[in-house]
């Protein structure tokens, strides 16, 4: 029995083999455009133009713009956790140092040229509807970040780890917004320093209660 794939015309096989490359170009273009200009502001025509592909190629890879937006955010989130986990790995068993190391990096990036804050936060603002694919990816990320920060606060011995974890989350979100307003001279540069003071105040309160 002949494998139908083997019998496919050469141009069809070339088109099939090109699919992953087209999808990568589309995602790369979408990431730049969505992150810097907003998801709602960018149409499919601009994405395919920047990616150098056709509109049918986009819809073969992604069923809709909403699915493309969710895929962009999933890739963004992968890089987000890679940076977070790198700080955790750098300071094994020391959640205080892990958080401060991560926040040092966040503070630097928040004030850098072209930084548009956290792409996942931006997406939640753009898509407040609970059922939207972009909203679901972003909300899940924020809930997991909150869970991790609270767990790390508990690991440091905070008497109220939920309060400390939430305070750190608020500092994180504020730094990303502040960076867009003030740039490298803004409050984002003091993110780690403020996190350190918050942590030390919380741990000091825990020791006083002991």
């Amino acid at each position: 029995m002949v494998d139908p794939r083997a019998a496919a015309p050469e141009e069809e096989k070339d088109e099939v083999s090109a699919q992953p490359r087209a999808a990568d170009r589309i995602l790369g273009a979408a990431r730049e455009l969505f992150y810097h200009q907003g998801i709602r502001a960018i149409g499919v025509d601009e994405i395919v133009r920047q990616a150098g592909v056709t509109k049918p190629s986009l819809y073969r890879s992604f069923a809709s713009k909403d699915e493309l937006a969710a895929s962009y955010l999933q890739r963004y989130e992968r890089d987000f956790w890679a940076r977070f986990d790198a700080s955790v790995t750098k300071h094994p068993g020391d959640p205080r140092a892990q958080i401060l190391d991560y926040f040092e990096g966040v503070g630097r990036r928040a004030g850098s040229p072209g930084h548009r804050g956290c792409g996942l936060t931006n997406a939640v603002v753009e898509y407040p509807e609970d059922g939207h694919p972009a909203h679901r990816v972003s909300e899940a990320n924020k809930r997991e970040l909150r869970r991790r920060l609270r767990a790390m606060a508990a690991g440091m011995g905070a008497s109220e780890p939920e309060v400390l974890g939430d305070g750190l989350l608020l500092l994180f979100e504020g730094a990303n917004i502040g960076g867009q307003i003030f740039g490298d001279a803004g409050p984002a540069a003091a993110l780690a320093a403020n996190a350190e003071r918050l942590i030390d105040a919380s741990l000091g309160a825990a020791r006083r209660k002991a």
Side-chain angles (χ1 to χ4, degrees), residues 26-36 72 75-76 79:
I26 291 163
L27 264 177
R31 177 164 184 159
E32 285 298 308
L33 292 165
F34 287 164
Y35 179 72
H36 289 104
Y72 144 67
R75 180 172 286 193
Y76 184 99
D79 296 339

Side-chain angles (χ1 to χ4, degrees), residues 18-132:
Q19 288 302 308
R21 293 194 295 274
D24 285 342
R25 291 201 301 274
I26 291 163
L27 264 177
R31 177 164 184 159
E32 285 298 308
L33 292 165
F34 287 164
Y35 179 72
H36 289 104
Q37 299 183 45
I39 299 172
R40 288 190 186 274
I42 297 298
V44 168
D45 289 340
E46 179 64 12
I47 294 168
V48 298
R49 188 183 72 80
Q50 292 284 349
V53 301
T54 63
K55 195 178 290 187
S57 294
L58 185 149
Y59 286 117
R60 279 194 293 269
S61 301
F62 305 96
S64 65
K65 181 187 170 185
D66 286 349
E67 183 180 312
L68 174 58
S71 296
Y72 144 67
L73 291 167
Q74 287 163 354
R75 180 172 286 193
Y76 184 99
E77 184 183 32
R78 181 189 67 192
D79 296 339
F80 178 99
W81 289 126
R83 290 189 294 268
F84 189 97
D85 292 340
S87 292
V88 171
T89 301
K90 188 175 174 182
H91 303 279
D94 188 346
R96 181 180 185 277
Q98 292 166 354
I99 290 172
L100 295 179
D101 184 83
Y102 177 64
F103 276 16
E104 283 283 358
V106 172
R108 285 194 301 272
R109 289 190 299 275
S112 63
H115 187 77
R116 286 277 291 117
C118 176
L120 294 148
T121 302
N122 297 344
V124 170
V125 174
E126 282 199 85
Y127 293 96
E129 314 94 300
D130 288 344
H132 193 280

Side-chain angles (χ1 to χ4, degrees), residues 158-169:
S159 59
E160 296 181 292
E162 295 84 3
V163 174
L164 174 55
D166 286 355
L168 293 168
L169 180 58

